[in-house]
Amino acid sequence: AQSVAQPEDQVNVAEGNPLTVKCTYSVSGNPYLFWYVQYPNRGLQFLLKYITGDNLVKGSYGFEAEFNKSQTSFHLKKPSALVSDSALYFCAVREFKAYSGAGSYQLTFGKGTKLSVIP
Amino acid sequence: NAGVTQTPKFRVLKTGQSMTLLCAQDMNHEYMYWYRQDPGMGLRLIHYSVGEGTTAKGEVPDGYNVSRLKKQNFLLGLESAAPSQTSVYFCASSPSRGGLSDEQFFGPGTRLTVL
């Protein structure tokens, strides 16, 4: 079974400071990992994903995430936060079995982390 | 491209009433999904479809039915609404070219209240 945890319900950071939103996952095979952002009263927007290869993934709006297999983590980061980054962030995982090509169509989401960037 | 659209945007139902939520996508995507979002619970998959004429159950399918008669449309039905189905419903779609590695594109959501 696949699962994902976002240990922080809320993260507060001052504008201009670096930000980190944490995510850990659990899968029985290989993980496909995703970050999405949700602004108030809107649908989710894709930020970035890890499929394979380089552990540091760069995405939209200056965000990046680092895949750490030993710690089963995929933390979202940004060097300098903007007030406009304030939103709800979701980590998601889907497992994939490389040896068979099979995997889960279901994308499992974390509960979300509310990011507030303070001017 | 309009992307993924959902109708209606808001709806209030009484317990026992039925309704259908419509999702449409103009990106020629093979896969489509219905999720519900509840406070503090993230998004949970209700049903999904990997192609026209096919549907499958997700994590929380009870009380819902779906149909995918056309590739671009994915309908979510509530036959007898219950207060526990008060939620925000999101539709999403994804292409099949990358298989399971493709990201999903989300609609703006439908806010449903069941009294």
Side-chain angles (χ1 to χ4, degrees):
Chain A
Q2 57 192 37
S3 66
V4 62
Q6 293 180 242
E8 302 156 318
D9 291 336
Q10 177 145 359
V11 170
N12 298 322
V13 63
E15 186 176 23
N17 282 2
L19 69 87
T20 298
V21 183
K22 296 180 180 178
C23 171
T24 59
Y25 67 90
S26 175
V27 295
S28 57
N30 302 98
Y32 289 151
L33 292 154
F34 303 81
W35 275 104
Y36 288 84
V37 59
Q38 184 181 32
Y39 298 100
N41 301 312
R42 303 286 295 276
L44 276 69
Q45 297 178 29
F46 169 74
L47 278 180
L48 50 80
K49 66 181 177 183
Y50 171 82
I51 304 302
T52 187
D54 195 347
N55 289 342
L56 184 62
V57 178
K58 294 188 183 296
S60 306
Y61 313 120
F63 284 94
E64 58 188 27
E66 186 168 10
F67 172 66
N68 187 317
K69 187 174 182 178
S70 63
Q71 297 186 1
T72 61
S73 66
F74 189 56
H75 300 330
L76 181 70
K77 300 181 180 183
K78 187 173 183 181
S80 179
L82 300 173
V83 173
S84 57
D85 292 329
S86 298
L88 191 56
Y89 290 81
F90 290 97
C91 181
V93 69
R94 169 184 271 159
E95 67 180 4
F96 171 71
K97 293 178 172 58
Y99 58 86
S100 67
S104 171
Y105 287 103
Q106 179 164 330
L107 190 60
T108 299
F109 286 84
K111 295 182 179 181
T113 298
K114 183 179 180 181
L115 174 68
S116 294
V117 181
I118 304 161
Chain B
N1 285 352
V4 180
T5 57
Q6 294 182 231
T7 51
K9 289 184 169 52
F10 303 93
R11 186 71 186 270
V12 178
L13 290 178
K14 294 181 179 178
T15 297
Q17 288 185 318
S18 63
M19 78 163 295
T20 300
L21 283 67
L22 172 63
C23 175
Q25 53 94 4
D26 61 1
M27 297 173 283
N28 201 34
H29 286 173
E30 288 293 332
Y31 303 159
M32 295 188 75
Y33 313 82
W34 274 108
Y35 293 91
R36 60 177 288 172
Q37 183 180 28
D38 301 294
M41 300 190 71
L43 276 76
R44 294 180 292 169
L45 183 65
I46 304 171
H47 286 280
Y48 64 96
S49 168
V50 300
E52 182 178 319
T54 70
T55 63
K57 294 180 180 180
E59 181 184 355
V60 288
D62 293 343
Y64 305 96
N65 56 75
V66 288
S67 63
R68 182 115 181 255
L69 299 180
K70 293 183 179 180
K71 184 178 182 179
Q72 63 268 32
N73 296 337
F74 195 29
L75 278 64
L76 177 71
L78 286 73
E79 291 185 347
S80 179
S84 61
Q85 294 177 304
T86 293
S87 188
V88 180
Y89 292 85
F90 288 100
C91 177
S93 70
S94 64
S96 61
R97 60 178 181 272
L100 301 178
S101 67
D102 285 328
E103 63 270 24
Q104 295 178 14
F105 295 78
F106 284 80
T110 295
R111 187 172 296 273
L112 175 67
T113 301
V114 183
L115 302 175

